[in-house]
Amino acid sequence: MEKKTAIILLAILALGLGLRVYNLGSESIWLDEGYALREALNPSAKAVIASLHTYNGTPPAYYLLLHYTIQFIGSSEFALRLPSALLGTLLILLVFLIGSEISEKVGLIGAAITGFSTIHILYAQEARAYALLSVFGILSSYIFIKFLKNPKMFTGILYSFFAASVIYTHYLGFVLLVLHAAAFFIVKEHTHLTFKHWCRTQLGILLLYIPNASLFIDQLKNLQKVLPTHLINLGVPASIAKLGGFVVAIPTIIFAIVIPLIPRLKKVLTAQNLVQKIKIAIRNQNTVLVVAAIFFASYIIFIPRFTSSFFLTRYTHFLFPFLYIGAACVFMNQTKRAKQILSVFFIVATLFALFTYYHNAPRKEQWREAAAFIESKESAGELIIVIDQDSLIPFEYYYNGNRQRIGFPTYLDKEKNEQILLQAEPMLLTYRGYWVVFSRAKKEQGVYSGYFKNYHLKGSRFFKGIEVYHYQ
């Protein structure tokens, strides 16, 4: 690595780290982080894994990391999010390394985009598994590239280990492994990697994953219980929704079946000169500028979605670095003037995005503020009802008052919610008054918001993502 490259890379890493730790603990723990906190607070690693068999749908790697983090540096907001911030910074370095397999300039551009991406900063400031998934995803891909170039046994073992680490972190990792398989079948004719070598790595992944098999099966069963109803509520036909988790897996399964056909498909595309036409279009300056202009406009239009946790980016952003590296390759093939224009686009879009991100606070649910407000109105003989038992986790994290607290579960089946209310009504009448705390993410589920309107509303207060009502 040249000295100039090293200096630029260190500057990108330093700025990236600064952006990720800035105001890291300023916002409240929100609902999704509460899930992670619940698992990590178990008394031992064994208890963490045992809890996942019942309560969560994610593999154990991140929860174990957070469990040991809490033991060493505590459970403040800053401490809980620090592993993600450090992993997000490590991701910048890994993107540089994987991009440097093409050229150091491509690596630097990819690292810069990753370092200043508000999407990656967002998930590097959350106590969730996404930053760890990104790191293992890019690291396994980097080793995969090394293995393609030189299929040594040690490199193959490393690949199996980190590929298994991806699916120990999140089940979306299976998508990445399928993409690795697709890449192998596409390029195997141009490498020394044989099908036998590839099968050995897959066997290694399978053996390493056996300890998680029982957890995977239990979590799949839990998913099958709730997902069909959820899919039906989203408008999925009942006949398809009954498949539950398999609906999500269908695209990956189909792709896995198609993978062995990729070499033939590649020959067909080459015969029709489609590959060459695509390459020519990418190199065309006007095409790139038009695409860049559309991207720039879209970036501004959708920027609010990119400064808060959003399911579309949440479950796909671990693949974004590959797009960054692709964009860097396109950039390097442009004329000097095109590079200047694209650089201006990138700088302006990045500054705008960063300004919006850091001035769009609060981005997370304000559980700290809601709990403090209720504490300030302390009165004997009152009950606090937190709608949805999971929302009770972040509320309990902040509440230090003396009132009794209970969590009302929310079911996708509204009849179950009505039954809970009927059973709870005699108990509610024994209190002088009660507070009802809604997470807006849960408010529309069930019939709770309509039910409490039957009581005398004494006051209310609204926070980011949370509504607080005081009834008598």
Side-chain angles (χ1 to χ4, degrees):
M1 183 190 302
E2 296 181 1
K3 184 177 180 180
K4 182 180 179 181
T5 301
I7 292 172
I8 295 172
L9 177 60
L10 287 173
I12 293 172
L13 287 170
L15 288 170
L17 176 61
L19 291 171
R20 283 156 177 76
V21 298
Y22 178 71
N23 281 342
L24 188 60
S26 63
E27 293 196 71
S28 301
I29 297 296
W30 73 294
L31 185 61
D32 280 16
E33 291 178 311
Y35 296 146
L37 180 63
R38 176 187 62 197
E39 309 301 350
L41 285 175
N42 277 289
S44 66
K46 186 177 180 180
V48 170
I49 296 172
S51 175
L52 293 175
H53 281 267
T54 306
Y55 291 114
N56 213 301
T58 309
Y62 176 74
Y63 301 115
L64 292 173
L65 172 63
L66 195 61
H67 171 76
Y68 289 112
T69 298
I70 291 171
Q71 288 190 349
F72 281 103
I73 61 175
S75 59
S76 67
E77 295 94 333
F78 184 91
L80 292 174
R81 294 171 182 150
L82 184 60
S84 293
L86 297 177
L87 289 165
T89 306
L90 176 60
L91 179 66
I92 301 170
L93 176 61
L94 294 174
V95 172
F96 168 77
L97 292 176
I98 201 169
S100 295
E101 291 297 307
I102 301 170
S103 75
E104 287 189 350
K105 288 184 178 179
V106 168
L108 285 175
I109 295 170
I113 298 174
T114 306
F116 304 131
S117 166
T118 53
I119 295 174
H120 286 282
I121 293 171
L122 168 65
Y123 292 109
Q125 292 192 322
E126 281 201 358
R128 293 291 283 159
Y130 308 120
L132 183 62
L133 173 64
S134 295
V135 166
F136 279 143
I138 293 298
L139 183 55
S140 63
S141 299
Y142 175 66
I143 298 171
F144 169 70
I145 292 171
K146 291 289 189 183
F147 191 51
L148 283 176
K149 291 183 176 181
N150 189 2
K152 292 182 178 179
M153 181 181 292
F154 180 69
T155 311
I157 293 171
L158 279 179
Y159 172 70
S160 295
F161 176 80
F162 285 108
S165 299
V166 174
I167 50 180
Y168 264 103
T169 303
H170 203 288
Y171 294 125
L172 282 171
F174 284 110
V175 175
L176 183 64
L177 300 191
V178 170
L179 293 175
H180 285 174
F184 164 70
F185 280 102
I186 289 172
V187 303
K188 70 173 185 174
E189 297 175 1
H190 308 287
T191 70
H192 297 293
L193 186 64
T194 65
F195 185 70
K196 186 177 181 180
H197 287 132
W198 180 252
C199 288
R200 286 174 181 170
T201 63
Q202 303 310 297
L203 179 60
I205 295 170
L206 180 62
L207 292 174
L208 288 169
Y209 200 67
I210 286 175
N212 195 61
S214 63
L215 175 61
F216 174 79
I217 293 170
D218 285 345
Q219 290 183 334
L220 183 60
K221 289 179 180 177
N222 294 335
L223 183 65
Q224 289 294 107
K225 293 177 183 177
V226 299
L227 191 57
T229 305
H230 187 57
L231 291 173
I232 290 172
N233 289 343
L234 291 174
V236 177
S239 57
I240 298 176
K242 288 179 181 178
L243 296 173
F246 292 105
V247 173
V248 182
I250 284 172
T252 303
I253 294 170
I254 293 174
F255 192 37
I257 294 172
V258 171
I259 282 175
L261 302 177
I262 287 177
R264 293 185 181 182
L265 180 62
K266 183 182 175 184
K267 290 178 181 178
V268 172
L269 292 175
T270 304
Q272 296 179 0
N273 292 323
L274 291 179
V275 174
Q276 192 62 28
K277 288 178 181 178
I278 292 171
K279 288 181 179 179
I280 292 172
I282 289 174
R283 292 194 183 110
N284 184 284
Q285 176 178 329
N286 295 328
T287 302
V288 173
L289 294 181
V290 169
V291 171
I294 293 172
F295 170 78
F296 183 62
S298 302
Y299 199 72
I300 293 175
I301 292 170
F302 293 108
I303 193 67
R305 276 300 191 188
F306 291 163
T307 56
S308 60
S309 189
F310 178 46
F311 78 94
L312 187 60
T313 57
R314 188 186 308 159
Y315 297 122
T316 60
H317 81 283
F318 74 101
L319 297 172
F320 286 9
F322 300 105
L323 298 178
Y324 303 157
I325 293 168
C329 292
V330 171
F331 178 85
M332 293 303 298
N333 285 327
Q334 304 311 304
T335 63
K336 184 177 180 180
R337 178 168 176 75
K339 288 179 180 178
Q340 291 172 343
I341 295 173
L342 289 171
S343 296
V344 171
F345 276 163
F346 173 72
I347 292 170
V348 172
T350 298
L351 290 175
F352 180 84
L354 290 172
F355 177 82
T356 305
Y357 178 80
Y358 288 107
H359 286 79
N360 195 34
R363 294 178 296 274
K364 297 176 172 64
E365 297 165 352
Q366 292 182 297
W367 288 101
R368 180 197 298 133
E369 291 76 7
F373 171 72
I374 295 175
E375 277 185 50
S376 69
K377 308 292 183 180
E378 192 76 40
S379 178
E382 291 187 328
L383 173 70
I384 299 174
I385 301 170
V386 180
I387 301 302
D388 187 66
Q389 289 173 320
D390 290 330
S391 296
L392 193 59
I393 303 167
F395 183 80
E396 293 277 12
Y397 181 84
Y398 292 106
Y399 184 71
N400 296 310
N402 297 317
R403 295 187 186 94
Q404 183 180 349
R405 287 90 65 191
I406 61 171
F408 273 17
T410 52
Y411 294 100
L412 294 172
D413 183 350
K414 293 186 179 182
E415 291 183 0
K416 288 185 178 181
N417 294 331
E418 291 174 345
Q419 291 173 4
I420 291 170
L421 288 172
L422 290 173
Q423 294 170 1
E425 191 166 2
M427 177 195 69
L428 295 178
L429 295 175
T430 63
Y431 289 89
R432 291 177 50 204
Y434 51 92
W435 295 79
V436 180
V437 184
F438 284 103
S439 165
R440 286 179 193 159
K442 299 290 184 180
K443 186 179 178 183
E444 298 306 318
Q445 295 183 13
V447 294
Y448 292 122
S449 55
Y451 173 83
F452 289 114
K453 290 177 181 177
N454 297 328
Y455 292 79
H456 174 64
L457 179 62
K458 192 175 180 182
S460 61
R461 185 75 178 268
F462 301 100
F463 303 90
K464 171 71 175 180
I466 299 171
E467 299 177 11
V468 177
Y469 299 91
H470 190 195
Y471 292 97
Q472 281 189 329

